[in-house]
Amino acid sequence: MSLLERLNNDMKQAMKNKEKDKLSVIRMVKSALQNEAIKLGKTLTEDEELTVLSRELKQRKDSLQEFEKAGRTDLVDKVKEEITVLELYMPKQLSEEELVQIVKETIAEVGASSKADMGKVMGAIMPKVKGKADGSLVNKLVQQQLS
């Protein structure tokens, strides 16, 4: 089942169950996907859909940090709910152990030996873990392995 079909089914279910918050997040995701399709002028591939979902999730996580700093608990709760709904559509996240293994393999592949090779390693590793790991965690693990 494609992502759009899942979103449509879940949207119908959220309407039936009167889950307003979930419904608004699903509509927002559908809108973002449709806007991206229009921008690219074609139907989105799974990879492109994942990029849009990742972008939306990252925006929510950034907002969450800002709201927590500002002490806006009302908005923190709302954004946490949105993140929970968005994570339902993301692929299963890799564990830290799995990520460390991928980082080590990628460092060996590109022949990196110092922090100066950080860009090469990150460029090679991010397509492998796209949507399955947070970029800042990957960055931290790569730095640890290169030091």
Side-chain angles (χ1 to χ4, degrees):
M1 180 184 306
S2 78
L3 178 60
L4 220 45
E5 289 171 344
R6 266 184 68 199
L7 286 168
N8 283 329
N9 290 340
D10 290 352
M11 189 169 80
K12 289 175 192 170
Q13 196 60 47
M15 281 180 193
K16 287 178 186 173
N17 298 342
K18 296 187 179 6
E19 299 170 294
K20 289 183 181 178
D21 294 335
K22 185 175 183 180
L23 182 61
S24 74
V25 174
I26 292 171
R27 284 181 171 152
M28 175 271 311
V29 171
K30 278 188 64 179
S31 171
L33 288 168
Q34 289 169 337
N35 288 340
E36 189 72 12
I38 291 168
K39 189 173 104 181
L40 296 175
K42 63 179 179 83
T43 344
L44 298 178
T45 63
E46 276 186 50
D47 201 37
E48 291 164 336
E49 289 175 343
L50 189 58
T51 302
V52 173
L53 272 177
S54 298
R55 183 183 330 133
E56 294 295 326
L57 190 59
K58 184 176 182 337
Q59 286 174 352
R60 296 303 174 296
K61 287 183 177 178
D62 292 346
S63 297
L64 181 63
Q65 287 178 338
E66 293 302 316
F67 293 148
E68 285 173 341
K69 282 182 196 171
R72 296 289 310 266
T73 53
D74 55 329
L75 295 174
V76 167
D77 295 338
K78 184 178 184 316
V79 171
K80 280 183 180 177
E81 286 177 32
E82 290 179 6
I83 289 172
T84 305
V85 173
L86 280 171
E87 286 175 340
L88 296 173
Y89 302 101
M90 294 295 289
K92 182 182 172 293
Q93 297 293 294
L94 295 170
S95 70
E96 196 162 332
E97 295 80 35
E98 292 170 313
L99 268 177
V100 169
Q101 186 61 38
I102 293 171
V103 167
K104 287 179 180 176
E105 290 169 7
T106 307
I107 289 173
E109 280 173 26
V110 299
S113 56
S114 69
K115 286 197 177 196
D117 300 322
M118 182 87 181
K120 274 199 292 187
V121 176
M122 289 300 291
I125 201 169
M126 287 314 288
K128 293 179 185 178
V129 298
K130 186 175 194 170
K132 298 179 197 162
D134 182 43
S136 58
L137 176 62
V138 174
N139 189 316
K140 186 180 88 174
L141 293 174
V142 170
Q143 284 182 1
Q144 287 174 355
Q145 295 297 321
L146 288 177
S147 58

